[in-house]
Amino acid sequence: MPASPAAPSLSERPVQRPTQHPVRRFVLFTYGFRPFFLLAGLFAVFGVLAWLLAFAHGVWPAEGPGALSWHAHEMLFAFVVAAIAGFLLTAVPNWTGRGSFGPPLLIVLTLIWLAGRWAMSPLFPFGPMAAAALDLAFLPALAVLIGGQLLRAGNYRNLPILAMLLAFTAANLLIHLERTGITADTAQAGRMLAVNLTLLLIVLIGGRIVPSFTLSTLRRLGRPVEIAQPRALEIACLLSVLAVLAIDLASPDGIAAGIAAALAAVLNGVRLGLWKGHRTAADPLLWVLHVGYLWIPLGLALKAVWLLAGAEIGVNWLHALTFGAFSTMVLAVMTRVALGHTGRPLRAAPATVASYVLLTLGALVRVFGPALFPALTLPSIAAAGLLWMTAFALFLVVYGPILLSPRADGRPG
């Protein structure tokens, strides 16, 4: 697995006060987090809006993917992948010390992402082969871009991140193979592979940034702590999620998958418990990371309960991971990185705190509402979607201007 420098190098830089007013200029493509965090936020609002309208009215174009298939695919390969791209396009220049990718490269990469969304949109009658070609292009292009910088810098220890991107591409390919008629039943395997790869990435990256940011923030607040990170536990957490991934590919929904999920839930729950999350209440930018990671052991535990006991409480375990863990960690990282890399203080605005609370409420409603109140399943899904949209709309209100504006400290980037 790739190693990286200490996490604070990504978004914990001390804020420098500008010595002169920064020149107003178009900065959207000066750093990779800017366009892709903005795109992730926009898709989170309008993509879910499209899904909710189809869900409420039952109206969906006959051409292209069905509503449920489109929703599942795009939340992974549009929303999550955009956030991953923004993170990697910001982290890799820090890992290599070579500076940001140039605007022409970021513009081309953005256009490739947009072409994929155009091709997958139910409003445009793209044939399955053409849609597959356009949609599959983004992740390999991202891998080439960051892989080239890693190789030029001799940063070989982070090259395994390329294998992760290629595995995401393989997951997407499995979905498109079924849609084009080449295979009969590979789409679900592709979706679950993408889910488990995202889970693995959060366990890997979250396992570095959450304790690191906790240590640095509590030290800055005058409440330093010691955080134990036993190497055996760290390795066991990663291996347990790899086991979940492998078993879900070979024998999904069986007893072995339930046992693997239970073991991964316990290990990651113990890991999270060592990170002193109970000390983070004073800093929303910090506690939201702990809340996001908490959804991982919770989601895995619900999966185990569902697969091993058939308990109704666990029926929505998948949304505990996707809505709960993935979206919360995406929002947490985007808000923190955007502040740190635009020279602004690491303080959450009230609207940002509200977005964290609304997203958490939405996840709770989506995961537990239908299980506890089956008669309210449809209202629960609609309410959860509205809470999601409101949370990311607040993100756009606060961070749209930040992503589109020059750094507050007058530095380039």
Side-chain angles (χ1 to χ4, degrees):
M1 293 298 173
S4 64
S9 66
L10 181 62
S11 63
E12 300 268 281
R13 294 172 177 172
V15 176
Q16 299 181 8
R17 299 298 177 190
T19 56
Q20 59 184 8
H21 294 293
V23 177
R24 306 299 297 181
R25 55 191 176 87
F26 186 71
V27 297
L28 181 60
F29 297 104
T30 57
Y31 228 109
F33 70 91
R34 291 180 180 272
F36 286 102
F37 286 179
L38 185 61
L39 288 171
L42 287 169
F43 189 87
V45 174
F46 294 104
V48 171
L49 175 61
W51 160 245
L52 283 180
L53 290 175
F55 177 78
H57 300 290
V59 178
W60 193 260
E63 296 82 6
L68 185 58
S69 296
W70 178 85
H71 173 67
H73 179 275
E74 293 296 273
M75 295 314 295
L76 290 167
F77 293 100
F79 169 67
V80 169
V81 162
I84 290 172
F87 176 86
L88 290 178
L89 291 168
T90 306
V92 169
N94 280 278
W95 296 347
T96 62
R98 297 182 67 89
S100 173
F101 300 96
L105 291 173
L106 293 177
I107 290 171
V108 169
L109 199 60
T110 300
L111 290 174
I112 295 173
W113 185 91
L114 289 170
R117 312 291 56 80
W118 181 33
M120 292 300 296
S121 170
L123 299 177
F124 301 97
F126 271 81
M129 293 298 292
L134 288 171
D135 183 50
L136 287 167
F138 179 75
L139 285 165
L142 176 63
V144 168
L145 191 61
I146 67 173
Q149 189 170 96
L150 289 170
L151 289 172
R152 286 191 296 273
N155 192 302
Y156 304 116
R157 63 180 181 175
N158 282 308
L159 285 178
I161 202 71
L162 302 183
M164 187 82 73
L165 295 177
L166 294 178
F168 268 106
T169 304
N172 201 10
L173 177 62
L174 289 172
I175 297 170
H176 284 288
L177 286 175
E178 181 174 329
R179 188 176 173 222
T180 56
I182 296 174
T183 62
D185 57 355
T186 57
Q188 179 60 18
R191 286 188 287 267
M192 283 310 304
L193 176 57
V195 167
N196 284 324
L197 286 168
T198 306
L199 177 63
L200 179 62
L201 191 63
I202 292 176
V203 169
L204 174 64
I205 301 297
R208 293 173 181 165
I209 66 174
V210 178
S212 177
F213 289 165
T214 301
L215 284 170
S216 60
T217 300
L218 293 180
R219 187 180 303 119
R220 189 178 71 243
L221 295 175
R223 298 198 301 273
V225 297
E226 295 294 329
I227 293 180
Q229 292 181 272
R231 181 166 177 78
L233 178 61
E234 299 293 302
I235 294 173
C237 285
L238 291 173
L239 291 178
S240 69
V241 174
L242 280 171
V244 168
L245 186 156
I247 294 172
D248 277 350
L249 283 176
S251 180
D253 303 327
I255 293 177
I259 293 172
L263 178 60
V266 171
L267 289 171
N268 281 280
V270 172
R271 185 192 203 195
L272 176 63
L274 296 176
W275 291 346
K276 306 297 176 68
H278 62 285
R279 301 285 297 275
T280 66
D283 190 333
L285 288 172
L286 188 56
W287 62 248
V288 71
L289 288 165
H290 289 260
V291 170
Y293 202 94
L294 175 61
W295 278 105
I296 291 177
L298 179 57
L300 289 168
L302 291 173
K303 179 180 180 180
V305 167
W306 174 248
L307 294 180
L308 297 177
E312 194 67 22
I313 193 69
V315 66
N316 290 312
W317 64 266
L318 183 59
H319 280 89
L321 293 177
T322 55
F323 196 140
F326 299 177
S327 65
T328 305
M329 291 299 286
V330 163
L331 184 61
V333 170
M334 291 197 306
T335 50
R336 189 180 196 95
V337 169
L339 291 176
H341 276 270
T342 59
R344 289 169 170 82
L346 290 174
R347 290 196 298 269
T352 302
V353 180
S355 73
Y356 297 159
V357 173
L358 290 172
L359 192 61
T360 301
L361 288 175
L364 290 170
V365 170
R366 182 63 184 88
V367 173
F368 296 110
L372 297 176
F373 308 101
L376 299 177
T377 293
L378 298 184
S380 294
I381 294 173
L386 290 172
L387 288 165
W388 163 293
M389 287 173 53
T390 306
F392 281 99
L394 288 173
F395 166 79
L396 291 173
V397 168
V398 176
Y399 286 86
I402 290 173
L403 295 170
L404 293 169
S405 300
R407 287 181 59 107
D409 56 12
R411 296 168 58 192

